[in-house]
Short mmCIF file of all heavy atoms in Angstrom, two decimals:
data_model
loop_
_atom_site.label_atom_id
_atom_site.label_comp_id
_atom_site.label_asym_id
_atom_site.label_seq_id
_atom_site.Cartn_x
_atom_site.Cartn_y
_atom_site.Cartn_z
N PRO G 1065 6.93 18.45 -13.38
CA PRO G 1065 6.40 18.87 -12.08
C PRO G 1065 6.58 20.42 -11.95
O PRO G 1065 7.57 20.98 -12.41
CB PRO G 1065 7.28 18.15 -11.04
CG PRO G 1065 8.55 17.90 -11.74
CD PRO G 1065 8.31 17.87 -13.27
N ARG G 1066 5.61 21.03 -11.30
CA ARG G 1066 5.65 22.50 -11.17
C ARG G 1066 5.18 22.88 -9.75
O ARG G 1066 4.21 22.34 -9.21
CB ARG G 1066 4.74 23.18 -12.15
CG ARG G 1066 5.06 22.89 -13.64
CD ARG G 1066 4.28 23.75 -14.57
NE ARG G 1066 2.90 23.67 -14.45
CZ ARG G 1066 2.03 24.30 -15.28
NH1 ARG G 1066 2.47 24.96 -16.28
NH2 ARG G 1066 0.72 24.18 -15.06
N VAL G 1067 5.99 23.79 -9.16
CA VAL G 1067 5.64 24.37 -7.86
C VAL G 1067 5.58 25.87 -7.98
O VAL G 1067 6.46 26.45 -8.59
CB VAL G 1067 6.67 23.92 -6.82
CG1 VAL G 1067 6.54 24.63 -5.53
CG2 VAL G 1067 6.63 22.43 -6.58
N ASP G 1068 4.61 26.49 -7.36
CA ASP G 1068 4.47 27.92 -7.40
C ASP G 1068 5.51 28.48 -6.37
O ASP G 1068 5.39 28.19 -5.18
CB ASP G 1068 3.04 28.32 -7.05
CG ASP G 1068 2.79 29.85 -7.00
OD1 ASP G 1068 3.86 30.61 -7.01
OD2 ASP G 1068 1.71 30.27 -6.95
N PRO G 1069 6.48 29.28 -6.78
CA PRO G 1069 7.51 29.78 -5.83
C PRO G 1069 6.84 30.46 -4.62
O PRO G 1069 7.43 30.50 -3.54
CB PRO G 1069 8.34 30.72 -6.70
CG PRO G 1069 7.89 30.63 -8.09
CD PRO G 1069 6.65 29.79 -8.14
N ALA G 1070 5.68 31.09 -4.86
CA ALA G 1070 5.03 31.79 -3.76
C ALA G 1070 4.65 30.89 -2.59
O ALA G 1070 4.46 31.37 -1.47
CB ALA G 1070 3.87 32.56 -4.28
N ASP G 1071 4.56 29.58 -2.84
CA ASP G 1071 4.16 28.67 -1.80
C ASP G 1071 5.33 28.28 -0.88
O ASP G 1071 5.14 27.69 0.15
CB ASP G 1071 3.54 27.42 -2.38
CG ASP G 1071 2.13 27.62 -2.86
OD1 ASP G 1071 1.50 28.52 -2.40
OD2 ASP G 1071 1.64 26.77 -3.68
N LEU G 1072 6.58 28.55 -1.36
CA LEU G 1072 7.72 28.07 -0.61
C LEU G 1072 8.13 29.09 0.40
O LEU G 1072 8.13 30.30 0.21
CB LEU G 1072 8.91 27.84 -1.63
CG LEU G 1072 8.75 26.58 -2.49
CD1 LEU G 1072 9.65 26.64 -3.72
CD2 LEU G 1072 9.14 25.33 -1.67
N PRO G 1073 8.54 28.61 1.62
CA PRO G 1073 9.06 29.48 2.61
C PRO G 1073 10.41 29.99 2.20
O PRO G 1073 11.04 29.44 1.31
CB PRO G 1073 9.15 28.62 3.86
CG PRO G 1073 9.00 27.21 3.39
CD PRO G 1073 8.51 27.18 2.03
N PRO G 1074 10.93 31.00 2.83
CA PRO G 1074 12.25 31.53 2.51
C PRO G 1074 13.29 30.39 2.64
O PRO G 1074 13.20 29.52 3.47
CB PRO G 1074 12.59 32.60 3.58
CG PRO G 1074 11.27 32.93 4.10
CD PRO G 1074 10.36 31.82 3.97
N GLU G 1075 14.24 30.38 1.64
CA GLU G 1075 15.21 29.24 1.58
C GLU G 1075 15.91 28.96 2.86
O GLU G 1075 16.23 27.83 3.23
CB GLU G 1075 16.17 29.52 0.42
CG GLU G 1075 16.72 28.21 -0.18
CD GLU G 1075 17.31 28.36 -1.57
OE1 GLU G 1075 17.00 29.36 -2.26
OE2 GLU G 1075 18.17 27.56 -1.96
N GLY G 1076 16.28 30.04 3.59
CA GLY G 1076 16.99 29.89 4.83
C GLY G 1076 16.25 28.97 5.86
O GLY G 1076 16.90 28.33 6.69
N ASP G 1077 14.91 29.00 5.76
CA ASP G 1077 14.13 28.17 6.71
C ASP G 1077 14.37 26.66 6.48
O ASP G 1077 14.02 25.88 7.43
CB ASP G 1077 12.63 28.48 6.59
CG ASP G 1077 12.21 29.85 6.95
OD1 ASP G 1077 13.14 30.65 7.34
OD2 ASP G 1077 11.06 30.20 6.89
N ASP G 1078 14.88 26.22 5.33
CA ASP G 1078 15.09 24.80 5.12
C ASP G 1078 16.18 24.28 6.10
O ASP G 1078 16.23 23.07 6.30
CB ASP G 1078 15.54 24.58 3.64
CG ASP G 1078 14.45 24.90 2.65
OD1 ASP G 1078 13.42 25.31 3.05
OD2 ASP G 1078 14.73 24.82 1.42
N ALA G 1079 17.01 25.19 6.58
CA ALA G 1079 18.13 24.66 7.45
C ALA G 1079 17.61 23.99 8.70
O ALA G 1079 18.27 23.10 9.19
CB ALA G 1079 19.01 25.92 7.89
N MET G 1080 16.36 24.32 9.11
CA MET G 1080 15.87 23.73 10.37
C MET G 1080 15.27 22.34 10.14
O MET G 1080 14.94 21.62 11.03
CB MET G 1080 14.82 24.61 11.03
CG MET G 1080 13.55 24.71 10.16
SD MET G 1080 12.25 25.65 10.94
CE MET G 1080 12.61 27.32 10.41
N LEU G 1081 15.17 21.95 8.82
CA LEU G 1081 14.62 20.64 8.46
C LEU G 1081 15.58 19.46 8.72
O LEU G 1081 16.76 19.71 8.63
CB LEU G 1081 14.11 20.63 7.05
CG LEU G 1081 13.08 21.69 6.68
CD1 LEU G 1081 12.85 21.67 5.12
CD2 LEU G 1081 11.73 21.47 7.40
N GLU G 1082 15.04 18.29 8.97
CA GLU G 1082 15.99 17.15 9.10
C GLU G 1082 16.48 16.85 7.60
O GLU G 1082 15.81 17.20 6.69
CB GLU G 1082 15.37 15.94 9.83
CG GLU G 1082 14.07 15.35 9.25
CD GLU G 1082 14.33 14.28 8.16
OE1 GLU G 1082 15.52 13.81 8.08
OE2 GLU G 1082 13.43 14.10 7.38
N PRO G 1083 17.65 16.21 7.43
CA PRO G 1083 18.34 16.15 6.14
C PRO G 1083 17.40 15.52 5.01
O PRO G 1083 17.44 16.09 3.94
CB PRO G 1083 19.52 15.27 6.42
CG PRO G 1083 19.82 15.40 7.89
CD PRO G 1083 18.50 15.66 8.58
N GLY G 1084 16.70 14.49 5.35
CA GLY G 1084 15.82 13.93 4.23
C GLY G 1084 14.75 14.91 3.76
O GLY G 1084 14.55 15.09 2.59
N MET G 1085 14.23 15.58 4.71
CA MET G 1085 13.11 16.50 4.41
C MET G 1085 13.73 17.67 3.63
O MET G 1085 13.08 18.20 2.68
CB MET G 1085 12.45 16.96 5.76
CG MET G 1085 11.31 17.91 5.54
SD MET G 1085 9.93 16.94 4.74
CE MET G 1085 8.65 18.17 5.12
N ARG G 1086 14.92 18.10 4.08
CA ARG G 1086 15.58 19.23 3.35
C ARG G 1086 15.78 18.88 1.93
O ARG G 1086 15.58 19.67 0.98
CB ARG G 1086 16.90 19.53 4.06
CG ARG G 1086 17.37 20.98 3.76
CD ARG G 1086 18.66 21.35 4.50
NE ARG G 1086 18.65 20.87 5.91
CZ ARG G 1086 19.73 20.26 6.43
NH1 ARG G 1086 20.80 20.05 5.78
NH2 ARG G 1086 19.63 19.87 7.70
N LYS G 1087 16.21 17.64 1.68
CA LYS G 1087 16.44 17.16 0.22
C LYS G 1087 15.09 17.17 -0.55
O LYS G 1087 15.08 17.64 -1.72
CB LYS G 1087 16.93 15.70 0.22
CG LYS G 1087 18.41 15.56 0.19
CD LYS G 1087 18.75 14.11 -0.13
CE LYS G 1087 20.17 13.80 0.15
NZ LYS G 1087 20.45 12.38 0.05
N SER G 1088 14.00 16.72 0.13
CA SER G 1088 12.69 16.79 -0.55
C SER G 1088 12.37 18.15 -0.92
O SER G 1088 11.90 18.39 -2.04
CB SER G 1088 11.65 16.16 0.32
OG SER G 1088 11.80 14.79 0.53
N VAL G 1089 12.54 19.11 0.05
CA VAL G 1089 12.14 20.49 -0.31
C VAL G 1089 13.09 21.04 -1.38
O VAL G 1089 12.60 21.90 -2.16
CB VAL G 1089 12.14 21.31 1.09
CG1 VAL G 1089 11.93 22.83 0.76
CG2 VAL G 1089 11.14 20.78 2.02
N THR G 1090 14.33 20.63 -1.39
CA THR G 1090 15.23 21.08 -2.46
C THR G 1090 14.63 20.67 -3.80
O THR G 1090 14.67 21.41 -4.79
CB THR G 1090 16.64 20.55 -2.23
OG1 THR G 1090 17.07 20.96 -0.94
CG2 THR G 1090 17.65 21.06 -3.31
N HIS G 1091 14.13 19.44 -3.86
CA HIS G 1091 13.47 19.03 -5.15
C HIS G 1091 12.36 19.96 -5.50
O HIS G 1091 12.17 20.37 -6.66
CB HIS G 1091 12.96 17.56 -5.04
CG HIS G 1091 14.05 16.57 -5.15
ND1 HIS G 1091 14.85 16.46 -6.29
CD2 HIS G 1091 14.47 15.59 -4.33
CE1 HIS G 1091 15.75 15.44 -6.12
NE2 HIS G 1091 15.48 14.92 -4.94
N LEU G 1092 11.49 20.25 -4.43
CA LEU G 1092 10.32 21.12 -4.76
C LEU G 1092 10.83 22.51 -5.28
O LEU G 1092 10.24 23.03 -6.20
CB LEU G 1092 9.49 21.30 -3.48
CG LEU G 1092 8.73 20.12 -2.94
CD1 LEU G 1092 7.99 20.46 -1.68
CD2 LEU G 1092 7.74 19.59 -3.98
N ARG G 1093 11.95 22.94 -4.68
CA ARG G 1093 12.50 24.29 -5.12
C ARG G 1093 12.91 24.14 -6.59
O ARG G 1093 12.70 25.05 -7.41
CB ARG G 1093 13.63 24.71 -4.26
CG ARG G 1093 13.20 25.09 -2.85
CD ARG G 1093 14.30 25.84 -2.11
NE ARG G 1093 13.89 26.04 -0.72
CZ ARG G 1093 13.08 27.02 -0.34
NH1 ARG G 1093 12.57 27.86 -1.24
NH2 ARG G 1093 12.65 27.09 0.89
#
Side-chain angles (χ1 to χ4, degrees):
R1066 301 189 303 187
V1067 168
D1068 180 348
D1071 282 341
L1072 285 160
E1075 205 161 339
D1077 291 3
D1078 294 359
M1080 68 176 87
L1081 301 173
E1082 59 85 18
M1085 185 68 165
R1086 202 178 317 134
K1087 266 193 193 168
S1088 288
V1089 174
T1090 302
H1091 282 302
L1092 291 178
R1093 290 192 186 282

